[in-house]
Amino acid sequence: MKRDSRLSGVLHVLLHMAEMEGPVTSEALAGIMQTNPVVIRRTLAGLREQGLVTSVKGHGGGWRLCCDFDTVTLHDIYVALGEPAVFAMGNRTESPGCLVEKAVNAHMNDAFQQAEAVLMARLRDVTLADLSRDFHRGLQRRDHSHCSS
Amino acid sequence: MKRDSRLSGVLHVLLHMAEMEGPVTSEALAGIMQTNPVVIRRTLAGLREQGLVTSVKGHGGGWRLCCDFDTVTLHDIYVALGEPAVFAMGNRTESPGCLVEKAVNAHMNDAFQQAEAVLMARLRDVTLADLSRDFHRGLQRRDHSHCSS
DNA sequence: TCTTCATGCAACAAACAATATTACATGAAA
DNA sequence: TTTCATGTAATATTGTTTGTTGCATGAAGA
């Protein structure tokens, strides 16, 4: 399965934006992320709808953070992305006629739901400020520019 | 993302095998599962290596269970399948040079590892016998043959 | 006003992974 | 020796994520 790396990617983008002055263009962010500007726009569009970032067109335009790093959690970002599928495994059929499959699905769903609950709880525990703090700690240790990619 | 349904599928197969007398051919199982016999063979090959099933070639051959439903757990089956990837989400880069990415990855990995631990614990909690029991309970409630698919 | 720069968005292409299919070899029973 | 069934490799199909192109929209500046 191809893993969805949007959550990881958008967090990367947000932290970089926090380190930059003024609005940043999709082009610049795409450079940092080694991807395409359109991909950046697509991804940030979800965050804009949730009021986490703003975008301005034209000369001097670009993207700007407009959220509180102390209160926004990884879970908020996950939701802003449209709550993408968590698991790479799933049931063969979601609404089976077979009673065997029903029994299997019931137990599988139970296990996966519990795991998902834990994941969401953990995502809610971490704020963007937490990530930023850890990044700056890393910076202190190794005294060089914060990113090459 | 296309979800891996092998675990779900192989559990379905095992429970059906438990309801049948003598060896069952890949062809028959494929019929039940609405898939291809080769897919069945491929999947069961992993279980055979773990000593959970046996296969016999030629006339009167096929697949036979050779494990104790009371002690084999869903986790054992998961392992027999080669421990396929659990999550549909992942880090953009596993070994980043970027310190921002390092900070992001660290928190993400932590959250995912905890969720995975819970999932594995839940899979270890459920035996094949548990599934079989639930299936038979379902059978009692609705008095008809145990499967159409 | 007209050019330039930037996002918004839709349509399309490429890359990749899971599943399905085909073809042929191997081995056992009738 | 024919038939049946698994073993396995190679290939095709399908679906999803990511990347790309093209054009419209809107804002700043000359």
Side-chain angles (χ1 to χ4, degrees):
Chain A
M1 173 236 3
K2 198 169 194 177
R3 284 169 122 178
D4 179 344
S5 62
R6 280 179 299 159
L7 180 55
S8 166
V10 78
L11 292 172
H12 195 168
V13 165
L14 292 175
L15 290 202
H16 273 285
M17 287 172 73
E19 304 297 319
M20 300 167 91
E21 294 292 313
V24 195
T25 66
S26 308
E27 185 102 21
L29 292 172
I32 293 171
M33 302 290 289
Q34 299 180 138
T35 181
N36 193 291
V38 178
V39 174
I40 299 288
R41 287 185 204 123
R42 259 204 300 247
T43 310
L44 290 185
L47 302 216
R48 184 182 49 217
E49 281 167 27
Q50 301 295 313
L52 302 172
V53 298
T54 55
S55 62
V56 172
K57 285 182 175 178
H59 252 296
W63 298 87
R64 209 184 276 270
L65 292 169
C66 63
C67 63
D68 180 1
F69 264 39
D70 286 320
T71 59
V72 174
T73 67
L74 301 198
H75 183 261
D76 295 321
I77 307 299
Y78 169 74
V79 170
L81 289 178
E83 310 192 27
V86 169
F87 295 107
M89 293 188 282
N91 292 323
R92 233 170 47 93
T93 309
E94 282 312 328
S95 51
C98 173
L99 287 180
V100 167
E101 190 124 40
K102 274 194 213 297
V104 171
N105 283 4
H107 280 278
M108 295 269 289
N109 287 341
D110 185 54
F112 282 107
Q113 275 169 23
Q114 289 191 36
E116 182 164 345
V118 168
L119 178 63
M120 294 307 147
R122 299 302 300 140
L123 292 183
R124 268 187 257 263
D125 274 349
V126 182
T127 65
L128 295 180
D130 291 330
L131 291 185
S132 184
R133 181 167 21 78
D134 283 9
F135 156 57
H136 281 106
R137 276 202 198 120
L139 251 195
Q140 280 185 327
R141 252 179 257 128
R142 317 222 214 136
D143 187 48
H144 65 30
S145 157
H146 61 281
C147 198
S148 57
S149 70
Chain B
M1 171 238 1
K2 199 168 194 176
R3 288 166 118 178
D4 179 343
S5 62
R6 279 179 300 159
L7 180 55
S8 165
V10 78
L11 291 173
H12 194 167
V13 166
L14 292 177
L15 290 203
H16 274 284
M17 287 172 71
E19 304 299 317
M20 300 166 91
E21 294 293 315
V24 195
T25 65
S26 309
E27 185 102 21
L29 293 171
I32 293 171
M33 303 290 288
Q34 298 180 138
T35 183
N36 195 291
V38 176
V39 174
I40 299 287
R41 286 184 205 127
R42 259 203 302 249
T43 311
L44 290 185
L47 302 216
R48 183 184 48 216
E49 280 167 27
Q50 300 298 313
L52 302 172
V53 299
T54 55
S55 62
V56 173
K57 285 182 178 178
H59 252 295
W63 299 86
R64 210 184 275 269
L65 290 170
C66 64
C67 61
D68 180 1
F69 265 39
D70 286 319
T71 57
V72 174
T73 67
L74 302 198
H75 183 260
D76 295 321
I77 308 298
Y78 169 75
V79 170
L81 289 178
E83 309 192 27
V86 169
F87 296 107
M89 293 189 282
N91 292 324
R92 233 170 47 92
T93 309
E94 282 312 327
S95 51
C98 172
L99 286 182
V100 167
E101 191 124 39
K102 273 194 213 300
V104 171
N105 282 3
H107 280 278
M108 296 268 290
N109 287 341
D110 184 55
F112 281 108
Q113 274 169 23
Q114 289 192 35
E116 182 164 344
V118 168
L119 178 63
M120 293 307 148
R122 299 302 300 139
L123 293 183
R124 268 187 256 264
D125 274 350
V126 182
T127 64
L128 295 181
D130 291 329
L131 291 185
S132 184
R133 181 166 21 77
D134 283 10
F135 156 58
H136 281 105
R137 276 201 199 123
L139 252 195
Q140 282 186 323
R141 251 180 259 127
R142 319 219 214 138
D143 187 48
H144 65 31
S145 157
H146 62 282
C147 200
S148 58
S149 71

